[in-house]
């Protein structure tokens, strides 16, 4: 079994809860990624936003369209 630390991304792109949806779409496209964590002011992960969320949900900022149920591993 391969440990997560050997395959994980260390420089993670994140969005703040108040990041505009347009900025999220541009960042996901330009970085060629399909999603990223959403963090609160204290840096804690509060959700995740994907390209599917950008195109299928209505809202102005990350908090409006993010999925609040995040599954993580140690």
């Amino acid at each position: 079994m391969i440990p997560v630390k050997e395959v994980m991304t260390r420089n993670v792109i994140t969005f703040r809860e108040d990041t505009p949806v347009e900025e999220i779409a541009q960042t996901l496209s330009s970085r060629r990624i399909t999603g990223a964590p959403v963090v609160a002011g204290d840096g804690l992960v509060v959700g995740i936003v994907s390209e599917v969320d950008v195109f299928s949900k209505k809202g102005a900022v990350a908090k409006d369209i993010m999925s609040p149920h995040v599954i993580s591993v140690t």
Side-chain angles (χ1 to χ4, degrees):
M1 195 176 300
I2 300 172
V4 172
K5 69 180 183 177
E6 291 185 21
V7 296
M8 69 183 197
T9 299
R10 293 188 183 275
N11 298 321
V12 178
I13 294 168
T14 61
F15 298 110
R16 298 176 322 277
E17 292 177 285
D18 63 348
T19 303
V21 172
E22 284 186 21
E23 182 179 331
I24 294 169
Q26 290 174 339
T27 301
L28 294 178
S29 177
S30 68
R31 298 294 184 118
R32 295 191 169 127
I33 56 175
T34 58
V38 178
V39 295
D42 57 8
L44 293 177
V45 176
V46 295
I48 190 160
V49 67
S50 71
E51 61 187 0
V52 172
D53 297 323
V54 169
F55 295 111
S56 67
K57 296 180 180 176
K58 294 182 180 180
V61 295
K63 186 175 183 176
D64 298 335
I65 65 167
M66 71 179 191
S67 298
H69 305 290
V70 178
I71 298 171
S72 63
V73 296
T74 57

